[in-house]
Every structure is written in structure tokens, then in C-alpha cells.
Amino acid sequence: MQNEHGAEGTQAIDDMSRDIAFTTKLDAIVAWGRKNSLWPMPYGTACCGIEFMSVMGPKYDLARFGAEVARFSPRQADLLVVAGTITEKMAPVITRIYQQMLEPKYVISMGACASSGGFYRAYHVLQGVDKVIPVDVYIPGCPPTPEAVMDGIMALQRMIATHQPRPWKDNWKNPYEQA
Amino acid sequence: MNKLETLKQSLQGKFKIENYKFIHAVGDDVLEVPKEDVPALLKYLHDSGAFDFLMDVCGVDYPNRAKRFDVVYHLFSSKDSSRLRVKAQVGENESIGTAIPAYRGADWFEREAYDMFGIKFDGHMNLRRILTHHQFVGHPLRKDYDANLQQACTTSMPIHFNNEPGSPGDVLNEKYVPLNIGPAHTAMHGTLRVMAEMDGETIVRCNNEIGYLHRCFEKMAETHPYNQVIPYTDRLNYCSAPMNNIGYCKAVERLLGVEIPPKAQAMRVILAELSRIIDHTIAIGTGAMDLGALTSFFYMFGLREKTYGLFEKLCGARLTVSMTRVGGMAQDAPEGWFDEVLALCKEIRKGTDEMASMVVDNKIFINRTRGICPVSAQDAIQWGYTGPLLRASGVNLDLRKAQPYYGYDALDFDVPVGTSGDIYDRYLVRFEEMRQSVRIIEQVCKNVPGGDYTIRDKGIVLPEKKDVYGNIEGLMNHFMLIIKGLRPPVGEVYDATEAANGELGFYLVSDGSANPYRLKVRPPCFAIYQSYPTVVKGAQLADAIATIASMNLIAGELDR
């Protein structure tokens, strides 16, 4: 038997759609999908980068959070994990990397250095990566334990699921752009 | 006759040694010379075979002196493991001859001294900034530069080869394709940047730029009391943090003239060897990952996590343990810890063998690494290689054997040495070192000395917490030491340990105050990485990535 579209294979789907209904809003299901398929780009510059490797590694296994596919290309990632000290020399680079990421994009600042410069109150260290790019979640620690990183990722997932407003991102302007 | 007298006689007639000062300071031989003599003297010391290694070149700033800067050369002899420090004074607007004709490896060290102090080296072909960014104004390690004065950098340096932008190194050949790899690149480790000019897949010219993780370690050390520098040393080589703690504390202890108790020595040896193992696991794991084998990463991190578990038990921290203190350890090992280390040794041994069969016995791995970018023994010494890379090139030099400390001379272990210095040999040496480290740990753990874990000198070590909270004497002692800080006598010392990557040296100048006057780290991979453009010249692009992985570059100690 053919349906109105004339394709036989879609019969089963047609039947199913008559029997089953998902009662949800479109944006809710999109958010659910987004939060469970984060593709992190580890921007590991220093110690935190090693600790982030542990989070990806066999014991802590970030794959359980759907954030399994670590990509080192900004074009293939939607979550920038800034793991390590960002120096003044690195700041233009990370801004560019952030710009190259596709929407929707999120940023986690992992560890004391990335969040505030940490105990490097020093001439060549950027005093927090939020000076150049918008940060959604800050993870404390030097370096944070893997458990803390997971907590940070779960916090971000809650943010995505509940459509938290993100004024820091909406109002962000590239500090290196010519006015 | 001591070394200094022998040196004096050999220099007689060749140089005007009446202007020289021969000093024996805190166990080091120091030679103070006029700056005009330095290039010739270094050339002579090298060519006569007296000192074949130049370990470090650094500056020290004395703003109130007529000739403001000291330029210090640290020489080392692989024959009798003796050291010599050559010092020369240079004024504000003066320059000093370069040491590159004598020691090729002086290149980056001189650039660093220029960057940090503004000391100019005549005859250096490429004297420009190396650690700070190119828009930086001033020289940060001068005493009159504020530690907290940041200067924004707005653009990245364009691709350039060897010379200042604008000069021929900046002009790219239209026949070839310029290729920028890193920082933050799929094929590159973290903060490293390599710029290559490609003819098809072959590298015609290559240049590397560092400084993307320059965290001002040395300036931070100058602005903190001695014990507070320990957490900063953790973050030099964060793959084997405890070894940096140990190296630093050892230098301070030598300046203070104290010896730590046997138990502290044993704990330090265990910590150091465990760190060597986990450092090599990262080098091998990520190295194989760069060649396309992801399994090794997961496998190696399994071993590493178990070691971290033991660190956590020991002191509560995983990566950055800060476990040593000047004078010993921060606390004793918990009950049964040494037995757990012994149990872990069995697992590491098994894991290492399995891993070796997966990596170095693998046909693809062998084809990708054997005979690729070899470094000869002479070249390695000229560049100042130390550690596994030097030994892979066939030089049998290990400070644990050459200058034994903490009872390494009483332990039974071998130093693996390679033959060709290619990438394959480097991994073979690392695997064998892991096995030897297990041997060392087992020997120490089976025979842990009793006694205290730290010295009890009230001017150096904080009292135990029960005394601080329990009696007035302990409280006052704690208060005084926190407020006043521990104060080593005026003097200077260079002390080196065999870290996972090679010789980790600390040159420490004390003016008698609570902060180090100058602390210079000699990081092993700084000397190694400067040879990279030469090593990969003419190689394929994929080989260059394999080379960078085998060098095990840790940006924290490379850039400091």
C-alpha cells in the first residue's frame, strides 16, 4: 500500500506518528540535544591541560557526559575549554580561535590562571581570559581536580538546558577589532 | 691540587690572569674575568676539552653598581662532572662577545639574557626577544621593572625565519609554501609554534617561536619568600612536578649548608622516580598519539592515574603536590604508603612491558621513527642536550651517576644509552628508564630509613602544628618564621638534579633577605628545542611532528 507521498518505506513511520507523540517544545528538545553532545576543544596551555587530559582519560571518562569528541579545530567544536595560563602573547590567538568557532558556542575557564591570572600576578600573564573572550563557567582550583571539571561541565549543561540568558556573550565585542 | 689551581696553571700565559679572580664559593668553582676575554676564554675552555657543555647563560642585575649586569656562564665537563662558573661584568650600554662560536647552544640563552635584561651580545646573528611578546617595551627582570606591569599584545608575529621582521628572514620565497603550525593547532602541543617553508612535503626552512607561556617564574621568585617559591616550581614541568620541588629545595639547602635526614632523602628519591615514570608515560603516550595511535594515550593515563592516587594519599594534591620544604618534607608518609608504592611498582612493570610491545615493537611505529631526524653525539653536546635525548644520542651521562645525590650511588640501576639518536632510540631509552626507575623505587621502599622526615632547625623549618597551637614557644617560632622568612647567607649556588627531561639546574643568588635575589632555572628542554629548526631541516612535515613529540617539550619550563 502506498501513502500519499508514494513511498512505501515511510509506511511504518507514518503509522508510528499516528500512535506516538512527543509532547515538548522544539527549543527544549534542541537544548536537550545540545547539552548532551558537547564537542569540547581543549585549549590546554599548561598544567590544567594535563589535568584535562586526565578528565578525558580512562578513569574519569568525560564520554559519560556526551562530551566525548575532543576536537583541536575550532570549526568542529562548540565548547572551548581554556585549560591553562593565557599570556599577553597568547591573548590575540585565543580571541581568534574563539571567533572561528561556530554558533552556538560556550566557554569554560578551567583553573585559577585562566579565570584570573591565578598566582601569576605578573607582567606577561593575562589577568583572566574573560578580558578577551566571554566565559560561561569558571572552575576553581590550581589545577582543579577532575571532579571539579565534571561539576563545571554539568553546570554548563544545566545552563544550556534551561536557556540561561548570557549577557556577557551577547554584549561581547572583540577587543582587537579596529573601531 | 684542586680543579681551580689546575685551571689557573693551564690559563697562565694564554690570558692575563692577573685580572682574573679564582673563587671557591659554596662548593662551586667561580672564575671572574673582564668581559673582553669571555669569547676567547670560552673558546679555549671548549677546544681544550676541559668543559664540553655550556649549561646556561644568564644575567644578574645590580642596579647600584657601576657596571650593572653580571653575565654568568655555567660550564660542565662530562669527563669528571666538574663545573665552572664564568662571570663577567657588563655595563648598561655595553655589549659582550657572543659565546656561539664556542658553544652552539648559547644561542637562545643569550637571546633570553637580552630579552630579560637588555644585555647585548656582539656577533649574535639573531638577537631579538624570545620570551616576551614583540610589542613589549623594557626588560622585565631588571630590578626597576614592576612585576605587575602588564603590557597588552594586540597582534601575533607574522611568519618569519631567523631574523628581525623586515630583514631577509621575513621575506618568504615565492617558490615555497609558508606553513604556520600552532600555537593551538591540531598537530601541535599546546603553546608551541612552528613556522615552516615547504617544498611539497619537505621542509626547506623552519623556525620556532616560544614565549606563549612565559609566566614570569623568575620575577615571581624574586618577589616571594623562599618557601613560597615551591608552588611556582611545581608549575615549571607540570608533568613531573615533584622533581622541580626537589631540585629547588636542594639548591636552597645547599646554600643554607644543611643536609636533610635519610628518611626525607628516601621519600624524595621515591617521589622523583615516580615522577620520572609518569613524565615518560606522558611523553610516550602523547608521542604515540601524535603518530596516530590513540590507544597508547588511554593506556598510559591508566598507569598515571594510579600514581596520582598515591600522590593524593601522600599529600592531598594530584598534579601539583608542593610536597617538599626547605629542610625536608612537608609531612610524613601515611601508614602503609611505601607498601602501596611497592604494589604499584609491579603494575608499572607489567604496564611498561605491555606498552613497549604496543609501541616500540609496532611495525608502523618503527617505520615512522627509525632513522628519522637523528642527532649525533657531538651535535647533542654542542646544543646542550641533557637527559634521555642526550643518552639516546649515545652519550652516557646521568647526574644520578655522575654527581650522585640522595644516596643514588648506593642504589643498583643502569643508565640506558642509545646509538643513533633518532626518534626511535628516544622512546627506547624512555621505556628502559621507566624500568630502571621501578628498580630504584623497589630498592628504596624495601629499606626505608627511620627517623624524622625533616630537620628541626628553628630558623628554617616551621614547627609542627601541635606545637603551634599547643605552646607559646611553638607559636612564636611559627610567627617569626612566617614574618621574617628563612634567610640564607649572602652567596650564590648552582645546583642541578637529573629531572625527567634532563639537567634541571637552579642558579640562586641570595643577598641575605627573605626573597631570592635572583633565581635562574636551567630548563632542559630550552636547550633541546633551540636545535629543532636544524634537526628537522630537509625532513618531511610528518617527521617534524614526530620529532617535536619525541623531544617531550613542556612549555611551562621552556618559557617559565
Side-chain angles (χ1 to χ4, degrees):
Chain A
M1 198 179 95
Q2 289 194 339
N3 62 7
E4 62 266 36
H5 301 299
E8 267 193 33
T10 52
Q11 180 61 46
I13 297 172
D14 259 16
D15 291 347
M16 211 164 75
S17 67
R18 251 176 259 124
D19 298 340
I20 306 167
F22 290 107
T23 52
T24 180
K25 283 182 281 187
L26 184 64
D27 55 353
I29 198 166
V30 167
W32 175 81
R34 272 184 190 157
K35 96 173 169 50
N36 290 314
S37 63
L38 290 167
W39 284 30
M41 174 179 163
Y43 200 88
T45 60
C47 338
C48 281
I50 303 289
E51 206 59 339
F52 191 74
M53 281 189 203
S54 291
V55 183
M56 304 294 298
K59 186 171 171 190
Y60 293 97
D61 193 16
L62 197 60
R64 292 179 291 155
F65 296 82
E68 179 170 21
V69 196
R71 286 290 140 120
F72 292 88
S73 162
R75 304 285 189 204
Q76 296 172 336
D78 57 3
L79 168 61
L80 183 67
V81 182
V82 186
T85 316
I86 300 301
T87 58
E88 299 280 359
K89 190 170 183 174
M90 188 62 110
V93 180
I94 194 166
T95 313
R96 185 151 176 196
I97 294 272
Y98 176 75
Q99 276 186 305
Q100 286 176 340
M101 288 171 65
L102 304 180
E103 297 286 354
K105 53 190 172 187
Y106 309 93
V107 178
I108 285 182
S109 161
M110 173 179 170
C113 287
S115 302
S116 70
F119 71 171
Y120 291 101
R121 194 153 181 80
Y123 56 85
H124 204 248
V125 176
L126 192 71
Q127 302 294 302
V129 73
D130 57 351
K131 295 224 185 311
V132 290
I133 58 173
V135 177
D136 294 303
V137 174
Y138 298 88
I139 303 173
C142 185
T145 57
E147 290 87 348
V149 179
M150 286 178 180
D151 190 46
I153 289 190
M154 284 157 75
L156 183 73
Q157 287 184 327
R158 281 194 297 275
M159 262 174 79
I160 298 169
T162 54
H163 298 285
Q164 288 287 323
R166 299 196 294 156
W168 50 87
K169 175 164 189 308
D170 301 336
N171 302 330
W172 178 73
K173 275 213 294 276
N174 181 1
Y176 300 107
E177 219 152 62
Q178 301 295 322
Chain B
M1 194 159 57
N2 68 22
K3 184 93 187 168
L4 220 49
E5 282 300 317
T6 329
L7 188 72
K8 202 171 192 170
Q9 284 185 0
S10 76
L11 294 180
Q12 201 124 38
K14 298 180 184 77
F15 297 92
K16 281 193 212 152
I17 62 163
E18 54 275 14
N19 297 337
Y20 291 10
K21 268 197 229 158
F22 293 82
I23 309 163
H24 195 72
V26 205
D28 294 347
D29 290 333
V30 186
L31 182 56
E32 282 189 29
V33 302
K35 73 179 177 68
E36 293 77 21
D37 278 9
V38 167
L41 178 70
L42 290 178
K43 187 85 183 144
Y44 171 75
L45 289 174
H46 175 259
D47 292 351
S48 66
F51 293 97
D52 44 358
F53 279 89
L54 177 70
M55 283 302 181
D56 200 355
V57 181
C58 67
V60 187
D61 183 21
Y62 300 96
N64 299 325
R65 215 171 58 181
K67 289 196 161 190
R68 183 168 178 176
F69 305 110
D70 263 356
V71 182
V72 191
Y73 300 83
H74 301 272
L75 305 178
F76 177 73
S77 161
S78 61
K79 287 180 202 72
D80 54 0
S81 0
S82 59
R83 290 178 189 277
L84 177 70
R85 205 151 62 222
V86 178
K87 284 168 72 171
Q89 294 191 1
V90 182
E92 172 89 77
N93 293 314
E94 296 176 354
S95 57
I96 184 170
T98 176
I100 295 177
Y103 301 94
R104 189 72 193 82
D107 186 348
W108 275 18
F109 289 109
E110 290 185 345
R111 270 179 70 186
E112 190 197 337
Y114 166 72
D115 189 4
M116 294 291 125
F117 293 96
I119 301 166
K120 292 190 186 66
F121 292 87
D122 284 336
H124 194 294
M125 59 289 192
N126 186 23
L127 199 64
R128 59 185 176 83
R129 293 195 175 275
I130 183 164
L131 293 180
T132 53
H133 59 77
H134 61 287
Q135 293 169 326
F136 202 86
V137 180
H139 301 284
L141 274 189
R142 290 187 177 197
K143 288 287 172 191
D144 48 17
Y145 193 93
D146 180 15
N148 188 22
L149 180 60
Q150 284 109 21
Q151 301 185 20
C153 174
T154 51
T155 56
S156 292
M157 276 280 267
I159 293 182
H160 57 99
F161 297 93
N162 295 330
N163 290 304
E164 292 271 4
S167 63
D170 199 29
V171 178
L172 306 181
N173 192 330
E174 279 184 9
K175 252 171 68 187
Y176 304 124
V177 179
L179 181 69
N180 182 70
I181 315 168
H185 184 272
T186 322
M188 193 51 67
H189 293 205
T191 55
L192 307 175
R193 182 184 186 191
V194 172
M195 297 164 281
E197 208 169 39
M198 309 293 302
D199 181 9
E201 278 290 302
T202 311
I203 295 173
V204 183
R205 280 196 294 180
C206 177
N207 194 10
N208 43 5
E209 196 181 312
I210 64 169
Y212 287 98
L213 192 62
H214 176 52
R215 299 192 279 196
C216 333
F217 168 79
E218 286 159 19
K219 193 78 177 178
M220 290 290 101
E222 284 175 16
T223 48
H224 286 77
Y226 281 91
N227 265 325
Q228 287 185 21
V229 177
I230 294 171
Y232 285 100
T233 63
D234 261 331
R235 286 146 184 89
L236 283 172
N237 184 344
Y238 33 75
C239 289
S240 51
M243 294 181 115
N244 302 275
N245 295 169
I246 292 165
Y248 168 72
C249 283
K250 190 162 164 279
V252 181
E253 281 151 12
R254 220 179 106 197
L255 192 60
L256 283 162
V258 297
E259 183 160 350
I260 59 171
K263 185 162 194 191
Q265 295 190 7
M267 283 173 76
R268 284 190 184 182
V269 169
I270 294 169
L271 268 177
E273 295 308 321
L274 280 176
S275 315
R276 193 184 312 281
I277 291 168
I278 59 174
D279 192 284
H280 286 349
T281 58
I282 283 220
I284 294 164
T286 57
M289 198 167 81
D290 282 352
L291 297 175
L294 192 62
T295 318
S296 62
F297 165 77
F298 286 105
Y299 206 90
M300 287 312 225
F301 262 79
L303 276 185
R304 198 177 154 85
E305 282 300 334
K306 284 176 187 151
T307 319
Y308 273 164
L310 286 184
F311 285 177
E312 259 180 314
K313 268 194 186 143
L314 187 63
C315 62
R318 286 159 50 85
L319 189 78
T320 46
V321 293
S322 304
M323 202 25 211
T324 63
R325 293 288 179 278
V326 176
M329 307 300 288
Q331 62 202 38
D332 207 350
E335 184 98 16
W337 191 75
F338 295 104
D339 297 328
E340 286 180 55
V341 174
L342 274 175
L344 179 73
C345 280
K346 283 205 190 85
E347 286 186 55
I348 293 175
R349 183 169 277 140
K350 183 164 157 278
T352 311
D353 289 343
E354 281 177 5
M355 192 63 212
S357 69
M358 259 159 64
V359 177
V360 287
D361 296 348
N362 181 326
K363 203 169 178 180
I364 301 169
F365 188 84
I366 293 172
N367 284 340
R368 284 290 305 276
T369 54
R370 192 174 271 175
I372 304 293
C373 297
V375 178
S376 71
Q378 290 87 342
D379 284 350
I381 292 173
Q382 266 291 304
W383 285 111
Y385 277 37
T386 44
L389 267 71
L390 179 71
R391 293 192 280 276
S393 296
V395 182
N396 187 351
L397 175 65
D398 188 321
L399 287 182
R400 292 174 294 171
K401 291 276 189 196
Q403 269 188 332
Y405 50 94
Y406 297 154
Y408 272 114
D409 42 350
L411 297 167
D412 185 25
F413 68 101
D414 302 317
V415 176
V417 175
T419 48
S420 60
D422 59 7
I423 298 171
Y424 187 65
D425 272 12
R426 294 173 182 175
Y427 286 103
L428 281 184
V429 165
R430 286 210 174 93
F431 271 117
E432 192 51 39
E433 276 191 17
M434 285 168 70
R435 296 192 183 105
Q436 298 301 329
S437 290
V438 172
R439 269 176 78 187
I440 295 173
I441 297 169
E442 283 179 339
Q443 288 171 53
V444 180
C445 275
K446 279 177 187 154
N447 210 345
V448 185
D452 211 346
Y453 56 87
T454 174
I455 56 166
R456 292 291 171 192
D457 187 327
K458 284 183 178 159
I460 298 173
V461 179
L462 289 174
E464 284 195 58
K465 280 283 176 276
K466 67 174 169 45
D467 292 328
V468 178
Y469 298 125
N471 61 60
I472 186 68
E473 188 140 349
L475 180 67
M476 279 159 63
N477 185 195
H478 182 98
F479 178 79
M480 284 310 284
L481 205 51
I482 293 288
I483 297 297
K484 234 174 111 255
L486 73 96
R487 290 167 186 251
V490 178
E492 53 176 63
V493 69
Y494 178 84
D495 199 85
T497 51
E498 182 73 28
N501 273 342
E503 172 171 324
L504 177 74
F506 286 90
Y507 173 57
L508 182 64
V509 181
S510 162
D511 62 347
S513 68
N515 300 353
Y517 186 76
R518 169 93 168 99
L519 180 63
K520 172 72 170 68
V521 192
R522 190 259 175 214
C525 48
F526 194 72
I528 290 167
Y529 195 38
Q530 64 178 332
S531 71
Y532 179 77
T534 320
V535 172
V536 300
K537 196 170 186 164
Q540 307 273 295
L541 182 62
D543 299 340
I545 301 298
T547 307
I548 225 167
S550 74
M551 283 179 170
N552 188 25
L553 303 163
I554 308 296
E557 65 172 18
L558 182 71
D559 294 350
R560 276 152 285 147

